[in-house]
Coordinates of all heavy atoms in Angstrom, one line a residue:
N1 N -232.8 -29.9 4.4 CA -231.7 -29.1 3.9 C -230.9 -29.9 2.9 O -230.5 -31.0 3.1 CB -230.8 -28.8 5.1 CG -231.5 -28.1 6.2 OD1 -232.4 -27.4 6.0 ND2 -231.1 -28.4 7.5
P2 N -230.7 -29.3 1.7 CA -230.0 -30.0 0.6 C -228.5 -30.2 0.8 O -227.9 -30.9 0.2 CB -230.3 -29.2 -0.6 CG -230.6 -27.8 0.0 CD -231.2 -28.0 1.3
S3 N -228.0 -29.4 1.8 CA -226.5 -29.6 2.0 C -226.3 -29.2 3.5 O -227.1 -28.5 4.1 CB -225.7 -28.7 1.1 OG -225.9 -27.3 1.4
T4 N -225.1 -29.6 4.0 CA -224.7 -29.3 5.3 C -223.2 -29.0 5.4 O -222.5 -29.6 4.6 CB -225.1 -30.4 6.3 OG1 -224.9 -30.0 7.6 CG2 -224.3 -31.7 6.1
M5 N -222.8 -28.1 6.3 CA -221.4 -27.8 6.5 C -220.9 -28.5 7.7 O -221.6 -28.4 8.8 CB -221.2 -26.3 6.6 CG -219.8 -25.9 6.7 SD -219.5 -24.1 6.7 CE -220.2 -23.6 5.2
I6 N -219.8 -29.2 7.6 CA -219.2 -29.9 8.7 C -217.9 -29.1 9.1 O -217.1 -29.0 8.2 CB -218.9 -31.3 8.4 CG1 -220.2 -32.1 8.1 CG2 -218.1 -32.0 9.5 CD1 -220.0 -33.4 7.4
E7 N -217.9 -28.6 10.3 CA -216.7 -27.9 10.7 C -215.9 -28.6 11.7 O -216.5 -29.4 12.6 CB -217.1 -26.5 11.3 CG -217.8 -25.6 10.3 CD -218.3 -24.3 10.9 OE1 -218.4 -24.2 12.2 OE2 -218.6 -23.4 10.2
F8 N -214.6 -28.5 11.7 CA -213.7 -29.2 12.6 C -212.4 -28.5 12.8 O -212.0 -27.7 11.9 CB -213.5 -30.7 12.2 CG -212.8 -30.9 10.9 CD1 -211.5 -31.1 10.8 CD2 -213.6 -30.9 9.7 CE1 -210.9 -31.3 9.5 CE2 -213.0 -31.1 8.5 CZ -211.7 -31.3 8.4
N9 N -211.7 -28.7 13.9 CA -210.4 -28.1 14.2 C -209.4 -29.2 14.3 O -209.7 -30.3 14.9 CB -210.4 -27.3 15.5 CG -211.3 -26.1 15.4 OD1 -211.2 -25.3 14.5 ND2 -212.2 -25.9 16.4
L10 N -208.2 -29.0 13.8 CA -207.1 -29.9 14.0 C -206.0 -29.2 14.8 O -205.5 -28.2 14.4 CB -206.5 -30.3 12.6 CG -207.4 -31.2 11.7 CD1 -206.6 -31.5 10.4 CD2 -207.8 -32.5 12.4
P11 N -205.8 -29.7 16.0 CA -204.8 -29.0 16.9 C -203.3 -29.2 16.4 O -202.5 -28.4 16.6 CB -205.0 -29.6 18.3 CG -205.6 -30.9 18.0 CD -206.4 -30.8 16.7
V12 N -203.1 -30.3 15.6 CA -201.8 -30.6 15.1 C -202.0 -31.1 13.7 O -203.1 -31.6 13.3 CB -201.0 -31.7 15.9 CG1 -200.7 -31.1 17.3 CG2 -201.8 -33.0 16.0
S13 N -200.9 -31.0 12.9 CA -201.0 -31.6 11.5 C -201.2 -33.1 11.6 O -200.6 -33.8 12.3 CB -199.7 -31.2 10.8 OG -199.6 -31.8 9.5
S14 N -202.1 -33.6 10.7 CA -202.4 -35.0 10.7 C -203.2 -35.4 9.5 O -203.7 -34.5 8.7 CB -203.2 -35.5 12.0 OG -204.4 -34.8 12.1
H15 N -203.3 -36.7 9.2 CA -204.1 -37.2 8.1 C -205.6 -37.1 8.6 O -205.9 -37.7 9.6 CB -203.8 -38.6 7.7 CG -204.5 -39.1 6.6 ND1 -204.1 -38.9 5.3 CD2 -205.7 -39.7 6.5 CE1 -205.0 -39.4 4.4 NE2 -206.0 -39.9 5.1
A16 N -206.4 -36.4 7.9 CA -207.9 -36.3 8.3 C -208.7 -37.0 7.2 O -208.4 -37.0 6.1 CB -208.2 -34.8 8.4
R17 N -209.8 -37.6 7.8 CA -210.7 -38.3 6.9 C -212.1 -38.0 7.4 O -212.4 -38.2 8.6 CB -210.4 -39.8 6.9 CG -211.3 -40.6 5.9 CD -210.7 -42.0 5.8 NE -211.6 -42.8 5.0 CZ -211.5 -43.1 3.7 NH1 -210.5 -42.5 3.0 NH2 -212.3 -43.9 3.1
V18 N -213.0 -37.5 6.5 CA -214.4 -37.3 6.9 C -215.3 -38.1 6.0 O -215.2 -38.0 4.7 CB -214.8 -35.8 6.8 CG1 -216.3 -35.6 7.1 CG2 -214.0 -34.9 7.6
E19 N -216.0 -39.1 6.5 CA -216.8 -40.0 5.8 C -218.3 -39.9 6.2 O -218.6 -39.6 7.3 CB -216.4 -41.5 6.0 CG -214.9 -41.7 5.7 CD -214.4 -42.9 6.4 OE1 -214.2 -42.9 7.6 OE2 -214.2 -43.9 5.7
V20 N -219.2 -40.2 5.2 CA -220.6 -40.1 5.5 C -221.1 -41.6 5.3 O -220.8 -42.3 4.4 CB -221.3 -39.2 4.5 CG1 -222.8 -39.2 4.7 CG2 -220.8 -37.8 4.6
Y21 N -222.0 -42.0 6.3 CA -222.5 -43.3 6.3 C -224.1 -43.2 6.4 O -224.6 -42.3 7.0 CB -222.0 -44.1 7.5 CG -220.6 -44.5 7.4 CD1 -219.6 -43.6 7.9 CD2 -220.1 -45.6 6.8 CE1 -218.2 -43.9 7.8 CE2 -218.8 -45.9 6.6 CZ -217.8 -45.1 7.2 OH -216.5 -45.3 7.1
N22 N -224.7 -44.2 5.9 CA -226.2 -44.3 6.1 C -226.5 -45.1 7.3 O -225.6 -45.6 8.0 CB -226.9 -44.9 4.8 CG -226.5 -46.3 4.5 OD1 -226.0 -47.0 5.4 ND2 -226.7 -46.7 3.3
L23 N -227.8 -45.3 7.6 CA -228.2 -46.0 8.8 C -227.8 -47.5 8.8 O -227.7 -48.1 9.9 CB -229.7 -46.0 9.0 CG -230.3 -44.7 9.6 CD1 -231.8 -44.7 9.6 CD2 -229.8 -44.5 11.0
L24 N -227.5 -48.0 7.7 CA -227.1 -49.4 7.6 C -225.6 -49.6 7.8 O -225.0 -50.7 7.8 CB -227.5 -50.0 6.2 CG -229.0 -50.1 5.9 CD1 -229.2 -50.6 4.5 CD2 -229.7 -50.9 6.9
G25 N -224.9 -48.4 8.0 CA -223.4 -48.5 8.1 C -222.7 -48.5 6.8 O -221.5 -48.7 6.8
E26 N -223.4 -48.3 5.7 CA -222.7 -48.3 4.4 C -222.1 -46.9 4.1 O -222.8 -45.9 4.4 CB -223.8 -48.7 3.3 CG -224.4 -50.0 3.5 CD -225.6 -50.2 2.6 OE1 -226.3 -49.2 2.3 OE2 -225.9 -51.4 2.3
Q27 N -221.0 -46.9 3.6 CA -220.3 -45.7 3.3 C -221.0 -45.0 2.1 O -221.2 -45.6 1.1 CB -218.8 -45.9 2.9 CG -218.1 -44.6 2.7 CD -216.6 -44.9 2.3 OE1 -216.4 -45.4 1.3 NE2 -215.7 -44.5 3.2
V28 N -221.4 -43.7 2.3 CA -222.1 -43.0 1.2 C -221.2 -42.1 0.5 O -221.2 -42.0 -0.8 CB -223.3 -42.2 1.8 CG1 -223.9 -41.3 0.8 CG2 -224.3 -43.1 2.5
N29 N -220.2 -41.4 1.2 CA -219.3 -40.5 0.5 C -218.1 -40.3 1.4 O -218.2 -40.5 2.6 CB -220.0 -39.2 0.3 CG -219.4 -38.5 -0.9 OD1 -218.2 -38.6 -1.2 ND2 -220.2 -37.6 -1.6
V30 N -217.0 -39.9 0.8 CA -215.8 -39.5 1.5 C -215.6 -38.0 1.2 O -215.4 -37.7 0.0 CB -214.6 -40.3 1.1 CG1 -213.3 -39.9 1.8 CG2 -214.8 -41.8 1.4
L31 N -215.6 -37.2 2.1 CA -215.5 -35.7 1.9 C -214.1 -35.2 2.0 O -213.7 -34.3 1.3 CB -216.4 -35.0 2.9 CG -217.9 -35.4 2.9 CD1 -218.7 -34.6 3.9 CD2 -218.5 -35.3 1.5
V32 N -213.3 -35.8 2.9 CA -211.9 -35.4 3.1 C -211.1 -36.7 3.3 O -211.5 -37.6 4.0 CB -211.7 -34.5 4.3 CG1 -210.3 -34.2 4.6 CG2 -212.5 -33.2 4.1
D33 N -210.0 -36.8 2.7 CA -209.0 -37.9 2.9 C -207.6 -37.4 2.5 O -207.1 -37.8 1.4 CB -209.5 -39.1 2.1 CG -208.7 -40.3 2.4 OD1 -208.0 -40.3 3.4 OD2 -208.7 -41.3 1.6
R34 N -207.0 -36.6 3.4 CA -205.7 -36.1 3.0 C -205.0 -35.5 4.3 O -205.7 -35.3 5.3 CB -205.8 -35.0 2.0 CG -206.6 -33.8 2.4 CD -206.7 -32.8 1.2 NE -207.4 -31.6 1.6 CZ -208.7 -31.4 1.4 NH1 -209.4 -32.4 0.9 NH2 -209.3 -30.3 1.8
N35 N -203.7 -35.3 4.2 CA -203.0 -34.7 5.3 C -203.3 -33.2 5.3 O -203.4 -32.5 4.2 CB -201.5 -34.8 5.0 CG -201.1 -36.3 5.2 OD1 -201.5 -37.0 6.1 ND2 -200.2 -36.8 4.4
L36 N -203.6 -32.7 6.5 CA -203.9 -31.3 6.7 C -203.1 -30.7 7.8 O -202.8 -31.4 8.8 CB -205.4 -31.1 7.1 CG -206.4 -31.5 6.0 CD1 -207.8 -31.5 6.6 CD2 -206.4 -30.6 4.8
P37 N -202.6 -29.4 7.6 CA -201.9 -28.8 8.7 C -202.9 -28.4 9.8 O -204.1 -28.4 9.6 CB -201.3 -27.5 8.0 CG -202.2 -27.3 6.8 CD -202.7 -28.6 6.4
A38 N -202.4 -28.1 11.0 CA -203.2 -27.7 12.1 C -204.1 -26.5 11.7 O -203.6 -25.6 10.9 CB -202.4 -27.3 13.3
G39 N -205.3 -26.4 12.1 CA -206.2 -25.3 11.8 C -207.6 -25.6 11.8 O -208.0 -26.7 12.2
R40 N -208.4 -24.7 11.4 CA -209.9 -24.8 11.4 C -210.3 -25.1 10.0 O -209.9 -24.4 9.0 CB -210.5 -23.5 11.9 CG -212.0 -23.6 12.0 CD -212.5 -22.3 12.7 NE -214.0 -22.3 12.7 CZ -214.7 -22.7 13.6 NH1 -214.1 -23.2 14.7 NH2 -216.0 -22.7 13.6
Y41 N -211.2 -26.0 9.8 CA -211.7 -26.5 8.5 C -213.2 -26.6 8.5 O -213.9 -26.8 9.5 CB -211.1 -27.8 8.1 CG -209.6 -27.7 8.0 CD1 -208.8 -28.0 9.1 CD2 -209.0 -27.4 6.8 CE1 -207.4 -27.9 9.0 CE2 -207.6 -27.3 6.7 CZ -206.8 -27.5 7.8 OH -205.5 -27.4 7.7
S42 N -213.7 -26.5 7.2 CA -215.1 -26.8 7.0 C -215.3 -27.5 5.7 O -214.5 -27.2 4.7 CB -216.0 -25.5 7.1 OG -215.7 -24.7 6.0
V43 N -216.1 -28.4 5.6 CA -216.4 -29.2 4.4 C -217.9 -29.3 4.2 O -218.6 -29.4 5.2 CB -215.7 -30.6 4.4 CG1 -216.3 -31.4 5.5 CG2 -215.9 -31.3 3.1
T44 N -218.4 -29.2 3.0 CA -219.8 -29.2 2.7 C -220.2 -30.6 2.1 O -219.5 -31.0 1.1 CB -220.2 -28.1 1.8 OG1 -219.9 -26.8 2.4 CG2 -221.7 -28.1 1.5
W45 N -221.2 -31.2 2.6 CA -221.8 -32.4 1.9 C -223.1 -31.9 1.3 O -224.0 -31.4 2.0 CB -222.1 -33.5 2.9 CG -222.6 -34.7 2.3 CD1 -222.1 -35.3 1.1 CD2 -223.7 -35.5 2.7 NE1 -222.9 -36.4 0.8 CE2 -223.9 -36.5 1.8 CE3 -224.6 -35.4 3.7 CZ2 -224.9 -37.5 1.9 CZ3 -225.6 -36.3 3.8 CH2 -225.8 -37.3 2.9
N46 N -223.2 -32.1 0.0 CA -224.3 -31.6 -0.8 C -225.4 -32.7 -1.0 O -226.3 -32.6 -1.8 CB -223.9 -31.0 -2.1 CG -223.2 -32.0 -3.0 OD1 -223.1 -33.2 -2.6 ND2 -222.7 -31.5 -4.1
G47 N -225.2 -33.8 -0.3 CA -226.2 -34.9 -0.4 C -225.9 -35.9 -1.5 O -226.7 -36.8 -1.7
D48 N -224.8 -35.8 -2.1 CA -224.4 -36.8 -3.1 C -223.7 -38.0 -2.6 O -223.0 -37.9 -1.6 CB -223.5 -36.1 -4.2 CG -224.2 -35.1 -5.0 OD1 -225.5 -35.1 -5.0 OD2 -223.6 -34.4 -5.8
D49 N -223.8 -39.1 -3.3 CA -223.0 -40.3 -2.9 C -221.7 -40.4 -3.7 O -221.4 -39.4 -4.4 CB -223.9 -41.6 -3.1 CG -224.2 -41.9 -4.5 OD1 -223.7 -41.3 -5.5 OD2 -225.1 -42.8 -4.7
L50 N -221.0 -41.4 -3.6 CA -219.7 -41.6 -4.2 C -219.8 -41.5 -5.8 O -218.9 -41.2 -6.4 CB -219.0 -42.9 -3.8 CG -218.5 -42.9 -2.4 CD1 -218.1 -44.3 -2.0 CD2 -217.3 -41.9 -2.2
S51 N -221.0 -41.9 -6.3 CA -221.2 -41.9 -7.7 C -221.7 -40.6 -8.3 O -222.0 -40.4 -9.5 CB -222.2 -43.0 -8.1 OG -221.7 -44.3 -7.7
G52 N -222.0 -39.6 -7.4 CA -222.5 -38.3 -7.8 C -224.0 -38.3 -7.8 O -224.6 -37.3 -8.2
R53 N -224.7 -39.4 -7.4 CA -226.1 -39.4 -7.4 C -226.6 -38.8 -6.1 O -225.9 -38.9 -5.1 CB -226.6 -40.8 -7.5 CG -226.3 -41.4 -8.9 CD -226.8 -42.9 -8.9 NE -226.0 -43.6 -7.9 CZ -225.8 -44.9 -7.9 NH1 -226.2 -45.6 -8.8 NH2 -225.1 -45.4 -6.9
T54 N -227.8 -38.2 -6.1 CA -228.4 -37.7 -4.9 C -228.8 -38.8 -3.9 O -229.6 -39.7 -4.3 CB -229.5 -36.7 -5.2 OG1 -229.1 -35.7 -6.1 CG2 -230.1 -36.1 -4.0
A55 N -228.4 -38.7 -2.7 CA -228.8 -39.7 -1.7 C -230.2 -39.4 -1.3 O -230.6 -38.3 -1.3 CB -227.8 -39.6 -0.5
P56 N -230.9 -40.4 -0.9 CA -232.3 -40.2 -0.4 C -232.4 -39.5 0.9 O -231.4 -39.5 1.7 CB -232.9 -41.6 -0.3 CG -231.7 -42.5 -0.2 CD -230.6 -41.8 -0.9
S57 N -233.5 -38.8 1.1 CA -233.7 -38.2 2.4 C -233.6 -39.2 3.5 O -234.0 -40.4 3.4 CB -235.1 -37.5 2.5 OG -235.2 -36.5 1.6
G58 N -233.1 -38.8 4.7 CA -233.0 -39.7 5.8 C -231.9 -39.3 6.8 O -231.4 -38.2 6.7
I59 N -231.6 -40.2 7.7 CA -230.6 -39.9 8.7 C -229.3 -40.5 8.3 O -229.2 -41.6 7.8 CB -231.0 -40.5 10.1 CG1 -232.3 -39.8 10.6 CG2 -229.9 -40.4 11.1 CD1 -232.9 -40.4 11.8
Y60 N -228.2 -39.7 8.4 CA -226.9 -40.1 8.1 C -225.9 -39.8 9.2 O -226.3 -39.0 10.1 CB -226.4 -39.4 6.8 CG -227.2 -39.8 5.6 CD1 -228.4 -39.2 5.3 CD2 -226.7 -40.8 4.8 CE1 -229.1 -39.6 4.2 CE2 -227.4 -41.2 3.6 CZ -228.6 -40.6 3.4 OH -229.4 -41.0 2.3
F61 N -224.8 -40.4 9.2 CA -223.7 -40.1 10.2 C -222.5 -39.7 9.4 O -222.2 -40.2 8.4 CB -223.4 -41.4 11.0 CG -224.6 -41.9 11.8 CD1 -225.5 -42.8 11.2 CD2 -224.9 -41.4 13.0 CE1 -226.6 -43.2 11.9 CE2 -226.0 -41.8 13.8 CZ -226.8 -42.8 13.2
Y62 N -221.8 -38.8 10.0 CA -220.4 -38.5 9.5 C -219.4 -38.8 10.6 O -219.7 -38.6 11.8 CB -220.3 -37.0 9.0 CG -220.3 -36.0 10.1 CD1 -219.0 -35.6 10.6 CD2 -221.4 -35.3 10.5 CE1 -219.0 -34.6 11.6 CE2 -221.4 -34.3 11.4 CZ -220.1 -34.0 12.0 OH -220.1 -33.0 12.9
R63 N -218.3 -39.3 10.1 CA -217.2 -39.7 11.0 C -215.9 -38.9 10.6 O -215.5 -39.0 9.5 CB -216.9 -41.2 11.0 CG -215.8 -41.6 12.0 CD -215.6 -43.0 12.1 NE -215.2 -43.6 10.8 CZ -215.1 -44.8 10.5 NH1 -215.3 -45.7 11.5 NH2 -214.7 -45.3 9.4
L64 N -215.4 -38.2 11.6 CA -214.1 -37.5 11.4 C -213.0 -38.3 12.1 O -213.2 -38.7 13.3 CB -214.2 -36.1 12.0 CG -212.8 -35.4 12.2 CD1 -212.2 -35.1 10.9 CD2 -213.0 -34.1 13.0
S65 N -212.0 -38.7 11.4 CA -210.8 -39.4 11.9 C -209.6 -38.5 11.6 O -209.4 -38.1 10.5 CB -210.7 -40.8 11.3 OG -211.8 -41.5 11.5
A66 N -208.8 -38.3 12.6 CA -207.6 -37.5 12.5 C -206.6 -38.0 13.5 O -206.8 -37.9 14.7 CB -207.8 -36.0 12.6
G67 N -205.5 -38.7 13.0 CA -204.5 -39.3 13.9 C -205.2 -40.3 14.8 O -205.9 -41.2 14.3
D68 N -205.0 -40.3 16.1 CA -205.7 -41.2 17.0 C -207.1 -40.8 17.4 O -207.7 -41.5 18.2 CB -204.8 -41.3 18.3 CG -203.5 -42.0 18.0 OD1 -203.3 -42.7 17.0 OD2 -202.5 -41.7 18.8
F69 N -207.5 -39.7 16.9 CA -208.8 -39.1 17.3 C -209.9 -39.5 16.3 O -209.7 -39.5 15.1 CB -208.7 -37.6 17.4 CG -210.0 -36.9 17.8 CD1 -210.5 -36.9 19.1 CD2 -210.7 -36.3 16.8 CE1 -211.7 -36.3 19.4 CE2 -211.9 -35.6 17.1 CZ -212.4 -35.7 18.4
S70 N -211.1 -39.8 16.8 CA -212.2 -40.1 15.9 C -213.5 -39.7 16.6 O -213.6 -40.0 17.8 CB -212.2 -41.6 15.5 OG -213.3 -41.9 14.8
Y71 N -214.5 -39.2 15.9 CA -215.8 -39.0 16.5 C -216.8 -39.1 15.4 O -216.6 -38.9 14.2 CB -216.0 -37.7 17.3 CG -216.0 -36.4 16.6 CD1 -217.2 -36.0 16.0 CD2 -214.9 -35.6 16.4 CE1 -217.3 -34.8 15.3 CE2 -215.0 -34.4 15.8 CZ -216.1 -34.0 15.2 OH -216.2 -32.8 14.5
T72 N -218.1 -39.4 15.8 CA -219.2 -39.6 14.9 C -220.4 -38.7 15.3 O -220.7 -38.7 16.5 CB -219.6 -41.1 14.8 OG1 -218.5 -41.9 14.5 CG2 -220.7 -41.3 13.8
R73 N -221.0 -38.1 14.4 CA -222.2 -37.3 14.6 C -223.3 -37.6 13.7 O -223.1 -38.0 12.5 CB -221.9 -35.8 14.5 CG -220.8 -35.3 15.5 CD -221.4 -35.3 16.9 NE -220.4 -34.7 17.8 CZ -219.6 -35.4 18.6 NH1 -219.5 -36.7 18.5 NH2 -218.7 -34.8 19.4
K74 N -224.5 -37.4 14.1 CA -225.7 -37.7 13.3 C -226.1 -36.4 12.6 O -226.0 -35.3 13.1 CB -226.8 -38.2 14.2 CG -228.1 -38.6 13.5 CD -229.1 -39.3 14.4 CE -229.5 -38.5 15.6 NZ -230.6 -39.1 16.3
M75 N -226.7 -36.6 11.4 CA -227.3 -35.5 10.6 C -228.4 -36.0 9.8 O -228.6 -37.2 9.6 CB -226.2 -34.8 9.7 CG -225.6 -35.7 8.7 SD -224.3 -34.9 7.8 CE -223.5 -36.2 7.0
M76 N -229.3 -35.1 9.4 CA -230.5 -35.5 8.6 C -230.5 -34.8 7.3 O -230.2 -33.6 7.2 CB -231.7 -35.1 9.4 CG -233.0 -35.6 8.7 SD -234.5 -35.1 9.6 CE -234.2 -35.8 11.2
L77 N -230.7 -35.5 6.2 CA -230.8 -35.0 4.9 C -232.3 -34.9 4.5 O -233.0 -35.9 4.5 CB -230.1 -35.9 3.9 CG -230.2 -35.5 2.4 CD1 -229.5 -34.1 2.2 CD2 -229.5 -36.5 1.5
V78 N -232.8 -33.7 4.3 CA -234.2 -33.5 4.0 C -234.3 -32.7 2.6 O -233.6 -31.7 2.5 CB -234.9 -32.6 5.0 CG1 -236.4 -32.4 4.7 CG2 -234.8 -33.3 6.4
K79 N -235.0 -33.3 1.7 CA -235.2 -32.6 0.4 C -236.5 -32.0 0.2 O -237.5 -32.4 0.8 CB -234.9 -33.6 -0.7 CG -233.5 -34.2 -0.7 CD -233.4 -35.2 -1.8 CE -232.2 -36.0 -1.4 NZ -232.1 -37.2 -2.3

């Protein structure tokens, strides 16, 4: 899949950050880094890194941090 949609809910207004990491733990991209009001959100990662280059196929992780809450999920980029 050349892109993926990441959906999340914020129960209260907070600073949200969604980051993408490779298997080595290196940051690949930052998709969200701003204050958001409470609500439902979705962000799309199109497989690009911070420089705008296409990341190679493989397994990646995204981490959502908002206030004191944080979770990490696995995803696969297939071209």
Side-chain angles (χ1 to χ4, degrees):
N1 302 329
S3 67
T4 188
M5 184 179 299
I6 299 167
E7 297 179 342
F8 59 96
N9 293 312
L10 294 178
V12 296
S13 178
S14 61
H15 184 88
R17 187 169 171 93
V18 178
E19 302 163 286
V20 177
Y21 292 90
N22 63 19
L23 279 173
L24 299 175
E26 300 167 330
Q27 186 181 67
V28 175
N29 207 331
V30 178
L31 306 177
V32 176
D33 187 16
R34 63 182 181 269
N35 290 320
L36 294 173
R40 183 176 175 90
Y41 295 92
S42 64
V43 61
T44 301
W45 181 48
N46 59 5
D48 289 350
D49 64 14
L50 288 168
S51 302
R53 295 176 297 206
T54 302
S57 294
I59 296 174
Y60 292 86
F61 298 91
Y62 72 88
R63 180 174 62 185
L64 167 65
S65 304
D68 293 335
F69 179 78
S70 176
Y71 73 82
T72 303
R73 297 290 184 265
K74 183 169 58 171
M75 59 186 169
M76 187 179 303
L77 177 64
V78 181
K79 298 178 200 169

